[in-house]
């Protein structure tokens, strides 16, 4: 069973209206500034004009149609700013709910039960963020760090899975530096969430093809979602890992994105920008023999299947 409607920040959208590519893990507004140096910020007032300009350019040049914006609780989420960016850019935006990994947990994670946390998420999914009228369309980026989630991260993941089952949404995870994805998937599916409603994040930071193949074989989506972040991993390695996944027959499980999470990554500040995937990485994939149908699969059909729960035959 799947839905044909995406919940975007400007209202319902049929998946059939998404004719161009999707960025499956991005941030348009966020605040992760634990260090206090102002780096890990995309501020609505200071940076939204530059963010919007990049999206307009990508819409015009590559027909960018949708962005999954995975800024959740404790990450500086701003639904009104997201709605403004979506309207001004002409690019649909899906917002998220859930909790990031433990250093960014909000106070309710201190003592609330899995069921209490799940009910909180369901209320937000059904009623929207506060009084904004904006509803989330995905749970994410629900986080953990290390090979096994901590106790609060475990409750957060289990609550996200229960909320996903109750509402028909999917769950995108943050696996810190790519680690712990199999443990995340085990927790999520133990709550009754089908593997194809899960995207395991940051797998391009983990140089372990066996893990990628195991995740894909289970039916989960494998997110190569930090493309261009060369200080974490070279795109040469990302290319090798993704080609290995494709050659193993799992192109239908791959999701691609850039995870822009600092204002220094914006093109206006000399960074790689949201367009690095289209301008640099996809041409390298094509040069390696990946055809346009597979590119469309990984950049449009897979993210739509992930969001809606559709099968490979349905989209």
């Amino acid at each position: 069973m799947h839905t044909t409607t995406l919940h975007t920040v400007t209202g319902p959208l049929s998946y059939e209206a998404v004719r161009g590519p999707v960025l499956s893990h991005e941030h348009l507004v966020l605040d992760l500034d634990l260090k206090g140096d102002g780096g890990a910020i995309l501020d609505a007032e200071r940076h939204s004009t530059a963010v919007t300009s990049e999206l307009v350019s990508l819409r015009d040049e590559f027909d960018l149609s949708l962005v999954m914006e995975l800024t959740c609780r404790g990450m500086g989420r701003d639904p009104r700013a997201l709605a403004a960016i979506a309207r001004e850019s002409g690019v649909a935006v899906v917002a998220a709910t859930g909790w990031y990994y433990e250093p960014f947990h909000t106070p309710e994670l201190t003592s609330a039960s899995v069921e209490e946390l799940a009910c909180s998420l369901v209320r937000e999914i059904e009623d929207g963020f506060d009084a904004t009228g904006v509803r989330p369309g995905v749970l994410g980026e629900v986080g953990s760090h290390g090979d096994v989630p901590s106790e609060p991260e475990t409750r957060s993941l289990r609550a996200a899975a229960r909320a996903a089952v109750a509402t028909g949404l999917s769950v995108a995870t943050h696996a810190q530096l790519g680690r712990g994805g199999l443990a995340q998937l085990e927790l999520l599916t133990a709550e009754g969430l089908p593997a194809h409603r899960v995207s395991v994040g940051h797998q391009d930071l983990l140089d372990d093809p066996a893990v990628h193949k195991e995740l894909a074989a289970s039916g989960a989506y494998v997110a190569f979602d930090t493309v261009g972040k060369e200080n974490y991993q070279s795109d040469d390695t990302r290319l090798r890992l993704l080609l290995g996944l494709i050659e193993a027959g799992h192109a239908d499980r791959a999701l691609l994105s850039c995870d822009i999470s600092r204002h220094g990554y914006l093109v206006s500040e000399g960074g790689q920008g949201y367009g690095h995937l289209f301008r640099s990485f996809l041409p390298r994939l094509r040069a390696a023999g990946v055809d346009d149908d597979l590119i469309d699969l990984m950049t449009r059909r897979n993210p739509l299947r992930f969001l809606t729960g559709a099968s490979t035959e349905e989209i």
Side-chain angles (χ1 to χ4, degrees), residues 262-285:
R262 304 173 69 88
H263 60 84
Y265 291 142
L266 297 175
V267 169
S268 60
E269 298 193 19
Q272 69 270 33
Y274 300 96
H276 179 85
L277 176 69
F278 304 108
R279 296 192 173 109
S280 176
F281 195 73
L282 294 184
R284 293 185 65 185
L285 270 182

Side-chain angles (χ1 to χ4, degrees), residues 28-315:
L28 307 178
V29 183
L30 92 166
D31 183 350
L32 299 178
D33 189 25
L34 288 182
K35 295 180 180 178
D37 62 5
I41 285 176
L42 289 164
D43 181 79
E45 291 186 8
R46 288 182 290 153
H47 305 121
S48 284
T49 298
V51 169
T52 302
S53 176
E54 287 200 34
L55 297 188
V56 169
S57 295
L58 295 175
R59 183 200 69 197
D60 292 347
E61 188 175 352
F62 300 102
D63 197 25
L64 176 67
S65 297
L66 180 74
V67 173
M68 276 190 245
E69 213 280 358
L70 297 185
T71 305
C72 59
R73 300 181 184 191
M75 297 178 74
R77 186 178 60 188
D78 188 336
R80 286 188 177 89
L82 294 182
I85 291 169
R87 285 192 296 266
E88 292 167 19
S89 68
V91 175
V93 175
V94 171
T97 189
W99 291 275
Y100 195 33
Y101 76 118
E102 190 170 357
F104 298 90
H105 278 180
T106 48
E108 62 265 39
L109 265 297
T110 303
S111 58
S113 69
V114 172
E115 192 56 33
E116 288 168 336
L117 295 172
C119 288
S120 172
L121 295 174
V122 169
R123 280 195 301 272
E124 194 162 68
I125 292 164
E126 293 179 343
D127 300 337
F129 303 114
D130 302 321
T132 63
V134 176
R135 292 175 58 186
V138 67
L139 289 129
E141 56 179 299
V142 184
S144 70
H145 65 296
D147 293 327
V148 179
S150 69
E151 191 278 329
E153 290 169 346
T154 296
R155 277 186 286 123
S156 165
L157 284 157
R158 292 179 62 200
R162 290 188 190 183
V165 170
T167 61
L169 296 189
S170 296
V171 176
T173 77
H174 166 90
Q176 180 75 357
L177 301 178
R179 295 172 57 196
L182 290 169
Q184 290 181 339
L185 183 62
E186 184 177 356
L187 279 170
L188 294 166
T189 55
E191 295 292 335
L193 185 65
H196 73 276
R197 302 309 299 260
V198 177
S199 165
V200 180
H202 310 323
Q203 290 308 289
D204 52 335
L205 300 180
L206 182 72
D207 192 349
D208 192 337
V211 169
H212 300 158
K213 290 171 187 173
E214 185 173 349
L215 290 168
S218 77
Y221 288 92
V222 183
F224 281 58
D225 53 12
T226 67
V227 175
K229 288 187 169 182
E230 295 266 357
N231 55 324
Y232 288 96
Q233 182 78 279
S234 73
D235 276 357
D236 288 344
T237 299
R238 288 187 179 92
L239 187 67
R240 169 174 56 79
L241 292 170
L242 182 57
L243 289 171
L245 193 66
I246 293 168
E247 288 161 7
H250 296 305
D252 62 341
R253 298 293 100 186
L255 298 176
L256 306 178
S257 210
C258 297
D259 189 23
I260 298 302
S261 55
R262 304 173 69 88
H263 60 84
Y265 291 142
L266 297 175
V267 169
S268 60
E269 298 193 19
Q272 69 270 33
Y274 300 96
H276 179 85
L277 176 69
F278 304 108
R279 296 192 173 109
S280 176
F281 195 73
L282 294 184
R284 293 185 65 185
L285 270 182
R286 290 188 176 97
V290 177
D291 63 25
D292 285 344
D293 182 66
L294 279 184
I295 297 288
D296 179 73
L297 176 69
M298 294 186 289
T299 62
R300 186 182 67 86
R301 298 186 329 256
N302 283 352
L304 291 177
R305 290 167 182 166
F306 164 67
L307 284 172
T308 63
S311 70
T312 53
E313 292 79 27
E314 293 167 315
I315 296 180

Side-chain angles (χ1 to χ4, degrees), residues 6 13-22 65-66 92 300 304:
L6 309 173
L13 178 71
S14 168
Y15 77 81
E16 293 175 331
V18 180
R19 306 307 303 167
V22 177
S65 297
L66 180 74
R300 186 182 67 86
L304 291 177

